[in-house]
Amino acid sequence: MSHRFLAFAAVVVAAPLAIAAPAQADVKAGVDAWAAGDYETAVGEWREPALAGDADAQFNLGQAYRLGRGVPANLDIALDWFRKASTPREGGIIHRKAADEYGLTLFQTGQRAAALPYVEQAAQRGEPRAQYVLGTAYFNGKLVEKDWVRGYALMSRASAAGIPAAQRSLAQMDNYISEPQKREALAMANAMEADSAMASNDTAFPAATA
């Protein structure tokens, strides 16, 4: 059993698109165009404010390049925009969604050690894809010290959020984890749920103001 490994499902990183819609007129116009399916216009609206440093526009461009809508799909360019968007602003403000996508895209492109701090932060805030990735890492003992209880707890959170790969992995974990470990893990998962609400309000990693 100690040699059993879960496979990372890359598809879990490709979550539905989240687009930031701040009050800035041209960024909002891009969001409206995106919602109407006019992706090229959306990208055109976002590019200038993104180059000027608007974090929401940078995040949205990253999503466009990640999905290949309005521009050719390019994960390297997506990473660069996510990195720029997640750079701390004045007062230490960080665009959380951009930081989450930066970490998950780093992981998807094989830069797993660099991705780990971002994935851990995202999982702590309750991001289910990050919880799936980190839960798999804890179960396998890859990147982090093996901890089946914590891995099961994280995977149960991701599974409850509706991540199909997490649901499959959780069923696989059930074949290896003991009942006492499972009870401990489920209690830990409940505590994580409460902690994620507090982490989302952590002033050391606040949401972007828009």
Side-chain angles (χ1 to χ4, degrees), residues 74-152:
N74 189 314
L75 288 182
D76 289 333
I77 297 177
L79 268 173
D80 190 49
W81 283 118
F82 289 143
R83 178 187 59 78
K84 290 175 180 176
S86 61
T87 299
R89 266 51 180 184
E90 185 177 354
I93 294 174
I94 295 176
H95 196 296
R96 281 192 180 130
K97 290 183 181 298
D100 293 350
E101 293 300 336
Y102 182 56
L104 289 166
T105 307
L106 278 172
F107 193 91
Q108 183 181 1
T109 55
Q111 302 173 68
R112 295 182 173 181
L116 184 60
Y118 294 92
V119 171
E120 288 176 327
Q121 286 275 6
Q124 185 180 3
R125 293 193 300 275
E127 214 297 334
R129 294 170 296 153
Q131 290 171 336
Y132 162 77
V133 167
L134 195 57
T136 304
Y138 273 114
F139 186 83
N140 290 340
K142 298 291 185 179
L143 298 176
V144 293
E145 187 175 349
K146 183 178 291 188
D147 186 337
W148 279 10
V149 171
R150 185 168 298 276
Y152 193 96

Side-chain angles (χ1 to χ4, degrees), residues 149-174:
V149 171
R150 185 168 298 276
Y152 193 96
L154 287 161
M155 197 65 70
S156 67
R157 292 289 315 283
S159 176
I163 302 293
Q167 294 165 356
R168 293 190 294 269
S169 292
L170 194 66
Q172 190 175 349
M173 285 180 171
D174 280 330

